[in-house]
Amino acid sequence: MEGFWTEQSPKLGFAAIAIVVFLAVMGLVMFLADNAPRKGRDVVQLLLFVLPAMLLLAAGMIWPALSTMWQSVTSKAGEFVGLDNFVTIFTDPTGQVVLRNTLLWVVFVPTISTVVGLAYALFIDRAKGERILKSLVFMPMAISFVGASIIWGFMYTYRSEGFPQIGLLNQILVWIGLSPYQFVETPPWNTFFLLVVMAWIQTGFAMVVLSAAIKGVPAEIVEAAELDGASAWQRFKNVTLPWIRGSLVVVVTTITISTLKVFDIVRTMTGGQYNTSVVANEMYTRAFRLGQPEIGAALAVVLFILVLPIVIYNIRVLRQHKETH
């Protein structure tokens, strides 16, 4: 026991000091807040309670962002090189493949997820067993990206022709008389098989949000359109779709941003091999595996630039939707 307390004494001492400092700071905050002039008390209280959060935000987000931007325009030795790192990304064959794959992900994943989720929400709206049907589609959202990648990795598993197939899709191909296919290893189609995993996960999110939006459409408007002789497609196009436009924008932009940042799926299933790497995975590979932190920082800035206009567009559309409703 004596040895235990001797080993733990530095940690216990540090914890005691941290507690004392915390109590002292909180006591100072409460004292200044209570003794501030009446007119400026609200301002003082706001500053005292918001300032710690702002300092943590600056230390954990703003400073690393500025540091990354600076690193993106410097060499590995820290010398300023301007846009050379970005030129390398856009001219290097590997970088071009990464950007092409990222573009494919951004185009197809939000489109597939939103269209399938919207169609499913429409078809099961007020149907018998709607809750169960929704839960079945929403269930993949409860699975992590790594877990989903492992599940689909088993689906895509390939063995040479003549050997027993343990992958579901290849076993189906064998049953119908076709040869097994290397879904993950064969470019460029392997990119599409990987993005299916992301679409499978995000469809549940799109379905839930859009289903809630559809239920918010006033029944009177739908009934009036039906009495005017509008078909089901016309009611959807002219009544439902304009009404849920704000929710559609939220779904598409949220899935798009998640897709731009996708890392786990590619890292787990291929590690970026077979021409499947995307910006986030390549950023990690360059910065931490290949010893090129300046290229990794440049890729991080590219990712930020790609996300920024989507966020701005989302804010503008939501503001317009709020003004019209």
Side-chain angles (χ1 to χ4, degrees), residues 63-81:
W63 173 251
L66 294 176
S67 178
T68 300
M69 290 180 182
W70 170 250
Q71 192 175 26
S72 69
V73 294
T74 60
S75 66
K76 190 175 181 179
E79 300 174 352
F80 181 77
V81 294

Side-chain angles (χ1 to χ4, degrees), residues 179-245:
S179 300
Y181 183 76
Q182 296 183 355
F183 291 97
V184 175
E185 295 84 0
T186 308
W189 299 109
N190 50 2
T191 297
F192 291 93
F193 292 120
L194 293 187
L195 64 84
V196 165
V197 181
M198 185 74 169
W200 178 67
I201 296 173
Q202 296 294 337
T203 297
F205 165 74
M207 180 269 301
V208 169
V209 175
L210 296 177
S211 177
I214 290 170
K215 291 185 181 299
V217 179
E220 298 82 4
I221 300 178
V222 179
E223 291 174 359
E226 190 173 358
L227 291 174
D228 288 340
S231 63
W233 169 251
Q234 290 173 331
R235 293 197 300 272
F236 168 74
K237 180 182 177 183
N238 300 317
V239 178
T240 304
L241 200 57
W243 191 270
I244 66 172
R245 185 188 174 198

Side-chain angles (χ1 to χ4, degrees), residues 105 194 262-272 276-278 281:
W105 278 75
L194 293 187
V262 66
F263 169 80
D264 314 61
I265 295 174
V266 175
R267 198 74 204 167
T268 302
M269 298 190 72
T270 65
T276 59
S277 189
V278 291
N281 180 74

Side-chain angles (χ1 to χ4, degrees), residues 79-158:
E79 300 174 352
F80 181 77
V81 294
L83 299 178
D84 289 355
N85 295 327
F86 296 93
V87 172
T88 300
I89 293 172
F90 286 97
T91 57
D92 181 65
T94 301
Q96 292 175 355
V97 170
V98 168
L99 295 173
R100 182 203 67 190
N101 290 341
T102 303
L103 179 62
L104 291 175
W105 278 75
V106 170
V107 170
F108 283 98
V109 172
T111 302
I112 295 172
S113 301
T114 305
V115 170
V116 175
L118 177 58
Y120 194 82
L122 285 170
F123 291 147
I124 68 170
D125 187 40
R126 296 182 178 86
K128 187 177 180 181
E130 180 180 357
R131 293 181 179 179
I132 298 176
L133 294 173
K134 282 184 178 179
S135 63
L136 291 175
V137 176
F138 187 75
M139 205 176 298
M141 284 290 296
I143 305 174
S144 68
F145 285 175
V146 174
S149 302
I150 294 173
I151 292 172
W152 280 87
F154 285 121
M155 296 276 287
Y156 292 145
T157 298
Y158 166 83

